[in-house]
């Protein structure tokens, strides 16, 4: 720099000056602005600075050599600047292309591994460092590696076996097989969790349904049973209540049919068996019978389904606690146990029972299943039904099997893919399809990591659950065992159960956070029935309106409603012709293939959708969680509330605080979106902090004012209980219908819980406490 200064001085001012001497004298008024500058050359009387006079006189002036040296230095500096600019612009252009948001439309975001490609698909250059795999390449790799033949081989592992009941020999044998498969795939870690749970089994004597008139005639004595039913014998008049929904019971009440001490009859469908039984118990029923719903085939008429009557998930004898290692807890039982005897019967038996009933005919929309349907018996009839249940409680060890592919950047953040392994019968559709897809995805993704240099940023866990038939017992016990950490580390659960029950329609249940990602996957997976179209064409642009709420029998439900982890569950089915053998001993591979001749292509498509979701969530810099969707959900909820403004004001209350909380959440979501847009995506610390804020959105909709033990499903959108937004709406509707029927204090509490839970979610979304909007 010293030589360059000399050069510039020589070129533009003659003699080079060496350096400048500064003299700063403080003024008496405190002003330091007076600066005295003296050039050293002015102070010396000789020629050049620091050179003795005798040498100065005897040496020729070096001006011409200095000018040449100056040109060399200037040229070198200019070349350095030009090289720097070329390198910077090249790097910037490449990074812009690599770091774009990937939706498969040509925009490409890098992972920690893969190579650069130009727009025409040719490789531009050999870039040193890790190989960069773009999302479109990764997506195509997944589709190509998934094998229908391997899916079939995995599913055929269940052939020739009649039952895989949780904790018994076949279930443990399948657990060992899954463990061996995970190990052979060289997953980073493979392990199992043991849980000691209390289940229910059929007793030594069969359960029995008897019709009593002048004498007793056995209606049916099935092998199937309903787990967690009360054991004992009850007798009562039969009453048919359609699907057993609240609105069905309301219609029975409107007909002035007394239901106390009766035997309630339902058909399967619409809501879970446990919910049907709970509704019957509220009406004072003595017992309940359930038969298979409608089917286009007579083949299923003689089959009796299994089921469970626990209105909850997990081991009902350790509610809120994990069932690890025979841990002893106080003798407490879940409030969701039915407390009345419950039994399933065949459709043939139900038809015979209706034939004996001589009361009012069923309502028109209740008669689609069985001809001669009756609501009950006549007032002068002496006919009753006797139900005997001999189920026994058993303690069993169950195994959950896990394998993991660890992330290369954030191994402590993971997506979980899970499938139920157990079944009361062969369980081809109930457990076989999901387990086959789980094993195939583990094989394919492991192969991509080991052989194709894919380096996922975050971890992928593969989970095989036991005791799913009893109400997601295995999955729930795992969540309860690690409840303090899972919600902060697991950011998505993908449920693979019952992925194929038909072929014509697609049933979807999901957290709003995953709507956008699921839609992107559906657009990129071909429809097996029409290869020219994607699955998105099958569901249509308004598919979100048809999203089905998760029920208690879905293993994804406790992940969402108990742990606050975003979930997605989907599967192929026929809306107008359900698979009748689900949950029966006839759920065989042969019957499933008879239901659809495209079983393996459909499994391939389901695996591809699940795989794309898992890979995308572990591939991108930014988590593909669309938190803006919850702003839409809250706005939709507010629009429903508007109708009740006047009713609430009549009680001296207001809904304004709820509206303010919704506005706070909207502003918090906008603020987070701005933070993401303005952040440095290459800064891992900043990126992780922003992703963590997105991860917590689901968890923050769990009401913090409730005990997980007493109200385990605390989610205000998808939970169960009076704290939910749906319960609040139902209470407001009841208020409009009959003001005296509503407890005002309970309504106040509901409004407060909803308001402060939404406000708390908004505060958490903002991030730092000093950015919180406290206007409420």
């Amino acid at each position: 720099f010293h030589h360059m200064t000399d050069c510039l001085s020589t070129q533009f001012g003659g003699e080079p000056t060496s350096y400048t001497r500064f003299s700063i004298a403080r003024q008496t008024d405190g002003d330091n602005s007076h600066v005295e500058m003296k050039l050293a050359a002015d102070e010396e009387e000789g020629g050049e600075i620091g050179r003795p006079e005798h040498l100065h006189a005897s040496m020729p002036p070096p001006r011409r050599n200095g000018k040449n040296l100056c040109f060399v230095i200037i040229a070198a500096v200019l070349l350095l600047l030009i090289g720097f600019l070329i390198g910077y612009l090249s790097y910037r252009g490449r990074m812009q292309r690599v770091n774009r948001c990937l939706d498969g439309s040509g925009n490409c975001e890098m992972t920690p591994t893969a190579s650069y490609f130009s727009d025409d698909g040719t490789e531009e250059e050999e870039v040193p460092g890790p190989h960069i795999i773009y999302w479109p390449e990764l997506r195509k790799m997944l589709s190509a590696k998934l094998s229908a033949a391997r899916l079939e081989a995995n599913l055929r592992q269940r052939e020739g076996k009649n039952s895989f009941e949780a904790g018994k020999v076949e279930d443990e044998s399948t657990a060992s097989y899954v463990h061996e498969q995970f190990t052979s795939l060289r997953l980073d870690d493979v392990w199992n969790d043991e849980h000691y749970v209390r289940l229910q089994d059929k007793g030594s004597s069969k359960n029995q349904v008897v019709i009593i008139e002048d004498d007793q005639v056995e209606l049916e004595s099935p092998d199937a049973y309903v787990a967690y039913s009360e054991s004992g014998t009850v007798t009562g008049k039969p009453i048919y209540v359609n699907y057993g929904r609240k609105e069905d019971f309301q219609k029975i009440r409107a007909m002035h049919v007394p239901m106390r001490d009766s035997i309630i009859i339902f058909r399967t469908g619409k809501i879970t068996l446990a919910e049907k039984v709970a509704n019957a118990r509220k009406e004072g029923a003595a017992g309940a019978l359930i038969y298979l719903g409608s089917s286009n085939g007579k083949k299923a008429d003689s089959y009796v389904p299994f089921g469970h009557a626990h209105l909850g998930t997990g081991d009902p004898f350790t509610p809120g606690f994990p069932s690890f290692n025979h841990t002893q807890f106080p003798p407490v039982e879940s409030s969701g146990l039915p407390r009345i005897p419950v039994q399933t019967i065949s459709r043939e038996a139900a038809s015979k029972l209706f034939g004996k009933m001589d009361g009012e005919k069923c309502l028109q929309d209740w008669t689609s299943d069985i001809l001669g349907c009756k609501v009950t018996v006549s007032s002068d009839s002496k006919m009753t039904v006797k139900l005997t249940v001999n189920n026994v409680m058993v303690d069993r060890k169950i195994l959950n099997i896990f394998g993991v592919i660890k992330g290369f950047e954030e191994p402590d953040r993971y997506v979980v893919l899970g499938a139920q392994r157990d079944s009361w019968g062969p369980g081809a559709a109930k457990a076989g399809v999901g387990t086959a897809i789980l094993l195939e995805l583990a094989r394919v993704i492991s192969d991509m990591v080991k052989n194709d240099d894919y380096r996922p940023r975050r971890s992928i866990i593969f989970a095989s659950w036991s005791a799913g038939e009893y109400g997601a017992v295995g999955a729930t016990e795992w969540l309860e065992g690690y409840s303090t950490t899972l919600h902060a580390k697991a950011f998505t659960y993908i449920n693979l159960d019952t992925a194929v029950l038909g072929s014509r329609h697609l049933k979807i249940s999901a957290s709003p956070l995953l709507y956008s990602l699921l839609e992107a996957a559906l657009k990129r997976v071909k429809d097996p029935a029409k290869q020219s179209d994607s699955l998105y064409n099958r569901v249509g642009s308004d598919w979100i309106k048809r999203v089905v709420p998760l029920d208690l029998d879905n293993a994804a439900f406790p992940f969402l409603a108990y742990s606050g982890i975003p979930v997605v569950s989907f599967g192929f089915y026929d809306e107008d012709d359900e698979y009748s053998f689900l949950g029966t001993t006839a759920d065989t591979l042969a019957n499933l293939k008879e239901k659809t001749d495209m079983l393996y292509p459909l499994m391939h498509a389901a695996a591809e959708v699940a795989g794309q979701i898992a890979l995308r969530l572990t591939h991108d810099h930014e988590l593909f969680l669309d938190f803006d969707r919850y702003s839409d959900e809250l706005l939709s909820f507010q629009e429903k509330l508007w109708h009740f403004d006047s009713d609430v004001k009549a009680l001296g209350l207001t809904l304004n605080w709820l509206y303010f909380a919704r506005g706070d959440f909207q502003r918090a979501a906008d603020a987070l979106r701005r933070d993401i847009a303005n952040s440095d995506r290459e800064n891992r610390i900043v990126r992780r902090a922003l992703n963590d804020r997105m991860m917590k959105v689901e968890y923050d909709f769990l009401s913090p004012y409730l005990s997980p033990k007493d109200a385990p499903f605390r989610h205000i959108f998808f939970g169960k209980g009076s704290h939910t937004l749906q319960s609040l709406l139902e209470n407001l509707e009841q208020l409009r219908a009959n003001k005296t029927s509503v407890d005002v204090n309970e309504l106040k509490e509901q409004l407060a819980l909803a308001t402060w839970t939404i406000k708390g979610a908004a505060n958490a979304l903002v991030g730092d406490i000093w950015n919180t909007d406290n206007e409420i």
Side-chain angles (χ1 to χ4, degrees), residues 563-584:
S563 294
I565 297 170
V567 302
V568 59
S569 181
F570 59 92
F572 297 95
Y573 78 116
D574 297 329
E575 189 173 3
D576 53 345
D577 182 21
E578 295 184 3
Y579 178 65
S580 300
F581 302 109
L582 194 68
T584 73

Side-chain angles (χ1 to χ4, degrees), residues 202 205-210 217-225 304 343-346 349 388 390:
K202 59 186 178 182
S205 300
K206 285 188 174 183
N207 298 342
Q208 189 179 48
V209 183
V210 174
V217 178
E218 181 179 281
L219 178 67
E220 195 164 50
S221 183
D223 288 324
Y225 64 97
V304 181
Q343 178 59 46
T344 47
I345 58 175
S346 67
T388 301
N390 297 309

Side-chain angles (χ1 to χ4, degrees), residues 675 693 763 766-774:
D675 288 348
R693 283 164 67 183
N763 291 345
V766 166
D768 295 312
I769 192 68
W770 48 84
N771 293 324
T772 301
D773 183 353
N774 288 318

Side-chain angles (χ1 to χ4, degrees), residues 66-244:
K67 184 178 291 188
N68 292 339
L69 178 62
C70 175
F71 279 125
V72 171
I73 293 173
I74 290 174
V77 170
L78 288 174
L79 287 173
L80 180 64
L81 287 173
I82 291 169
F84 173 79
L85 287 173
I86 291 172
Y88 171 75
L89 291 174
S90 173
Y91 173 81
R92 184 171 178 269
R94 182 182 300 154
M95 287 302 102
Q96 284 181 339
R97 184 169 67 253
V98 171
N99 289 324
R100 288 175 191 145
C101 176
L102 292 177
D103 56 7
S105 62
N107 298 330
C108 296
E109 178 175 339
M110 62 181 282
T111 68
T113 58
S115 62
Y116 300 102
F117 289 85
S118 63
D119 293 335
D120 61 3
T122 59
E123 193 167 351
E124 290 182 353
E125 59 180 304
E126 188 68 28
V127 180
H131 180 57
I132 301 171
I133 299 181
Y134 299 103
W135 170 243
E137 180 187 354
L138 193 64
R139 174 169 49 78
K140 291 175 184 176
M141 189 187 302
L142 169 71
S143 181
K145 285 180 177 288
L146 286 170
S147 166
R150 287 183 179 272
L151 287 166
E152 180 179 1
N154 290 339
L155 184 54
R156 288 191 178 278
Q157 287 291 324
R158 301 179 79 89
E159 276 193 309
K161 298 170 185 175
N162 296 324
S163 175
F164 295 82
E165 195 169 336
K168 289 190 176 180
V169 175
E170 290 299 343
D171 177 44
E172 290 192 350
S173 174
T174 308
S176 298
Y177 173 76
V178 172
H179 194 285
E180 290 168 4
Q181 289 297 300
F182 284 168
T183 303
S184 68
L185 295 173
R186 295 184 297 155
L187 300 186
D188 293 324
D189 203 354
V190 179
W191 74 100
N192 63 273
D193 269 359
E194 294 181 353
H195 298 273
Y196 295 85
V197 297
R198 180 163 292 184
L199 307 177
Q200 198 175 54
D201 204 347
K202 59 186 178 182
S204 55
S205 300
K206 285 188 174 183
N207 298 342
Q208 189 179 48
V209 183
V210 174
I211 296 175
I212 302 177
E213 291 181 297
D214 296 329
D215 55 359
Q216 297 189 19
V217 178
E218 181 179 281
L219 178 67
E220 195 164 50
S221 183
D223 288 324
Y225 64 97
V226 176
Y228 302 123
S229 163
E230 187 79 4
S231 294
T233 299
V234 293
T235 303
K237 288 189 175 184
I239 300 176
Y240 176 58
V241 196
N242 198 25
Y243 290 111

Side-chain angles (χ1 to χ4, degrees), residues 696-768:
K696 284 185 89 295
V697 170
E698 201 77 73
Y699 180 78
D700 290 327
F701 281 117
L702 302 184
S703 177
Y705 308 103
L706 302 173
S707 164
K709 176 182 174 296
D710 300 326
F713 308 123
R714 296 176 293 145
H715 203 295
I716 63 172
F717 282 96
F718 303 106
K720 300 288 183 182
S722 61
H723 62 283
T724 62
L725 301 183
Q726 180 59 38
S727 178
L728 173 58
L729 285 174
E730 290 173 359
N731 224 358
L732 291 173
E733 289 170 358
Q734 190 175 350
L735 174 67
R736 170 165 289 184
N738 184 1
K739 292 183 180 179
T740 60
S741 65
V742 174
D743 185 333
V744 177
N745 289 329
E746 181 183 345
L747 182 60
K748 285 181 178 179
E749 182 174 326
Q750 283 183 308
L751 290 171
L753 287 176
T755 300
W756 286 108
T757 301
I758 295 170
K759 175 62 179 173
N763 291 345
L765 195 61
V766 166
D768 295 312

Side-chain angles (χ1 to χ4, degrees), residues 432-450:
V433 168
T435 300
I437 293 174
L438 180 74
L439 292 173
E440 177 64 357
L441 284 172
R443 181 191 71 82
V444 168
I445 298 175
S446 175
D447 183 61
M448 291 164 69
V449 173
K450 298 294 190 296

Side-chain angles (χ1 to χ4, degrees), residues 323-578:
S323 299
F324 278 133
N325 196 25
H326 292 294
T327 306
Q328 298 298 308
F329 292 109
V332 60
E333 296 181 359
S334 168
S335 59
L337 288 171
R339 312 296 181 188
I340 61 173
V342 186
Q343 178 59 46
T344 47
I345 58 175
S346 67
R347 196 153 54 232
E348 287 178 351
S351 182
K352 291 178 184 177
L353 181 55
F354 283 130
K356 295 286 186 179
M357 295 162 62
D358 60 353
E360 292 188 47
K361 290 184 178 180
C362 291
L363 302 175
Q364 187 173 1
D365 59 339
W366 289 15
T367 60
S368 61
D369 285 53
I370 296 177
L371 294 175
C373 173
K374 304 290 194 313
V375 171
T376 186
V377 296
S378 61
S379 57
D380 57 349
S381 173
K382 295 182 180 179
M383 175 199 162
T384 57
V385 172
K386 183 172 75 171
L387 170 61
T388 301
V389 173
N390 297 309
N391 298 351
V392 294
M393 302 306 302
V394 293
D395 293 321
R396 287 194 192 143
K397 180 183 77 173
I398 62 171
L399 298 173
N400 292 329
I401 310 299
F402 301 93
V404 64
I405 295 173
K406 294 180 180 178
F408 286 78
E409 283 189 14
E410 298 179 275
D412 61 337
R413 298 289 185 269
Y414 31 83
V415 58
V416 183
L417 294 117
Q420 172 183 326
R421 186 182 66 248
D422 68 296
S423 60
W424 273 303
K430 192 69 176 286
V433 168
T435 300
I437 293 174
L438 180 74
L439 292 173
E440 177 64 357
L441 284 172
R443 181 191 71 82
V444 168
I445 298 175
S446 175
D447 183 61
M448 291 164 69
V449 173
K450 298 294 190 296
N451 300 319
D452 296 290
D453 294 330
Y454 174 54
R455 296 164 64 88
R457 284 192 169 85
R458 304 168 193 96
S459 300
I460 303 175
I461 292 178
F462 304 92
S464 174
W465 312 115
S466 184
E469 294 280 43
Y470 293 84
V473 172
T476 302
E477 295 306 313
W478 186 64
L479 291 170
E480 289 176 344
Y482 304 97
S483 60
T484 56
T485 58
L486 278 178
H487 74 272
K489 296 187 175 184
F491 53 87
T492 293
Y493 177 69
I494 303 169
N495 185 40
L496 304 174
D497 294 336
T498 59
V500 181
L501 297 176
S503 59
R504 292 195 294 272
H505 303 95
L506 192 59
K507 181 179 181 180
I508 297 171
S509 301
S511 160
L513 289 175
L514 293 169
Y515 285 172
S516 296
L517 176 54
L518 179 58
E519 182 171 299
L522 293 174
K523 287 180 177 179
R524 293 295 171 179
V525 176
K526 291 182 178 179
D527 189 336
K530 197 174 182 181
Q531 284 291 312
S532 60
D533 286 343
S534 69
L535 288 177
Y536 180 74
N537 296 117
R538 178 188 288 221
V539 299
S541 59
D542 61 344
W543 67 272
I544 293 176
K545 296 178 181 178
R546 297 187 297 278
V547 169
V548 180
L550 288 166
D551 61 46
L552 287 165
D553 288 343
N554 193 313
F557 179 79
F559 276 86
L560 179 62
Y562 174 77
S563 294
I565 297 170
V567 302
V568 59
S569 181
F570 59 92
F572 297 95
Y573 78 116
D574 297 329
E575 189 173 3
D576 53 345
D577 182 21
E578 295 184 3

